[in-house]
Amino acid sequence: MLGVMSKPWKKLDEAVLIAPGEKAILKKRDTVGEELFPDRDEAEASLAADVKEIDKLQDQLWAERTRALLVVLQGIDTSGKDGTVRGVFGCCGPLGVTVTPFGVPSSEEAAHDYLWRIHNAVPKRGMIGVFNRSHYEDVLVVKVRKFAPPEAIEQRYGQINDFEEYLTDNGVTILKFMLHLSKDEQRKRLEDRLEQPKHNWKFNPGDLEDRKLWSDYEKAYETMLERCSTEHAPWRVIPADKKWKRNAIIASIVRGALERMDPKYPKPSWKPSDFKIE
Ligand code: ATP
């Protein structure tokens, strides 16, 4: 059974990874993740162990200060991007993690090329940076809502791959997660926002407009997955209908990536015995 095994992320990866060039048919991909972490208690135990380890590894990453980890979260409204940030990175020391949400570009941002605001938010060496939405909005909402000419959008897939390769070559490991939610589960989550007074603030009538464009978004996501899953920065499609499972899967993969990065505390050039504190 998956869960608190020594390296569960290896098996998880087989289920969620989009191989470079692979056609991603979202309707055929599970939004529940039946096979992954079948037991909720086990998933929660695994998550608790992983977030502790992520925090520890982040400390080493910061001490080493030569590389960074960038986690990209994409998903339709209510897919759980905020919940993932809270559930997976909420226990990390606040000095080591930056979270950047990308909304509608400001006038300053819109005056630059679309990657300008993105590059500016890439985590510096030693940090974990989480993008809540990202440069991928520029081939998703921008494509579906026709905010840019199709020829410009067409060029972006290659530009994004080059940009991500450049970052990877410069010491930034990139993990990209698409939170894959069913239309039914989105309905439930939107209804909850209308029915629960303390969740009313989360309701945005604009989300209903995007819901009407569900199949256009699905197509745009599929193209993004097929064209931008690369050796250096592959996409992972995460079943997102169950929040506890989503967090356990993502934490396990993040921990695995940090373990493979294997950050080390630097060895000082001096000996502690060289000093005496009066
Ligand atoms: P979320 O739905 O991510 O929790 P939110 O509802 O609080 O966030 P904001 O973070 O203010 O809203 O903005 C998200 C909105 O910004 C989304 O509708 C998204 O499609 C839109 N957006 C993001 N990037 C772009 C872009 N490059 N061009 C146009 N719209 C964009």
Side-chain angles (χ1 to χ4, degrees):
M1 191 184 279
L2 293 175
V4 206
M5 290 167 27
S6 58
K7 293 265 187 281
W9 49 268
K10 273 200 172 165
K11 290 227 167 134
L12 290 176
D13 252 5
E14 281 165 25
V16 300
L17 199 73
I18 303 291
E22 182 185 343
K23 226 175 168 44
I25 302 166
L26 286 171
K27 280 200 179 62
K28 289 197 182 158
R29 287 199 162 249
D30 187 11
T31 55
V32 176
E34 292 295 357
E35 308 272 293
L36 308 171
F37 289 108
D39 181 80
R40 182 168 179 165
D41 288 342
E42 204 184 324
E44 287 175 350
S46 173
L47 174 66
D50 287 344
V51 296
K52 252 188 169 166
E53 206 50 34
I54 291 170
D55 185 37
K56 205 181 98 194
L57 288 159
Q58 196 289 316
D59 194 57
Q60 290 165 217
L61 192 68
W62 175 248
E64 188 192 77
R65 231 167 294 186
T66 58
R67 294 168 294 163
L69 177 67
L70 170 61
V71 177
V72 174
L73 300 177
Q74 273 297 153
I76 50 152
D77 298 310
T78 76
S79 60
K81 301 178 291 297
D82 291 344
T84 303
V85 174
R86 207 174 308 114
V88 177
F89 300 98
C91 294
C92 279
L95 294 174
V97 180
T98 55
V99 180
T100 313
F102 290 99
V104 177
S106 65
S107 54
E108 174 72 0
E109 289 168 346
H112 290 84
D113 68 275
Y114 69 99
L115 290 174
W116 178 76
R117 64 175 182 165
I118 307 295
H119 203 170
N120 206 31
V122 168
K124 60 183 175 187
R125 296 190 179 96
M127 301 287 286
I128 297 178
V130 185
F131 284 181
N132 183 338
R133 300 185 188 267
S134 66
H135 40 305
Y136 285 100
E137 291 294 329
D138 291 283
V139 292
L140 293 168
V141 65
V142 172
K143 185 178 201 178
V144 171
R145 299 260 183 194
K146 303 185 172 54
F147 292 155
E151 314 81 71
I153 295 169
E154 182 55 32
Q155 289 182 327
R156 290 183 179 173
Y157 301 102
Q159 290 167 349
I160 287 173
N161 291 342
D162 290 346
F163 171 65
E164 291 180 352
E165 188 169 12
Y166 163 82
L167 291 180
T168 310
D169 289 347
N170 282 277
V172 183
T173 296
I174 304 175
L175 290 177
K176 302 188 298 201
F177 298 108
M178 182 216 158
L179 308 186
H180 185 28
L181 195 75
S182 66
K183 200 171 179 187
D184 240 23
E185 182 61 24
Q186 191 195 48
R187 181 177 39 74
K188 286 186 203 144
R189 292 186 187 184
L190 289 171
E191 279 170 0
D192 173 82
R193 291 178 179 188
L194 287 175
E195 285 160 13
Q196 301 285 334
K198 66 176 192 278
H199 293 161
N200 286 165
W201 66 274
K202 290 193 207 169
F203 183 75
N204 173 1
D207 294 351
L208 300 184
E209 294 306 309
D210 275 340
R211 184 170 163 82
K212 286 187 199 143
L213 298 169
W214 186 274
S215 65
D216 293 342
Y217 273 104
E218 200 168 61
K219 270 193 229 126
Y221 267 103
E222 286 175 348
T223 307
M224 171 200 87
L225 293 168
E226 191 181 331
R227 307 256 320 252
C228 296
S229 206
T230 55
E231 291 291 348
H232 52 274
W235 272 105
R236 291 174 170 89
V237 177
I238 307 299
D241 280 4
K242 296 204 184 311
K243 298 172 185 177
W244 53 270
K245 203 177 277 230
R246 173 203 72 207
N247 286 351
I249 297 169
I250 293 178
S252 172
I253 294 169
V254 172
R255 174 184 173 170
L258 282 165
E259 283 176 348
R260 274 172 288 166
M261 286 171 81
D262 194 20
K264 299 260 193 295
Y265 287 116
K267 288 210 166 37
S269 53
W270 41 266
K271 290 201 295 288
S273 57
D274 291 344
F275 298 93
K276 189 166 165 33
I277 298 173
E278 301 292 336

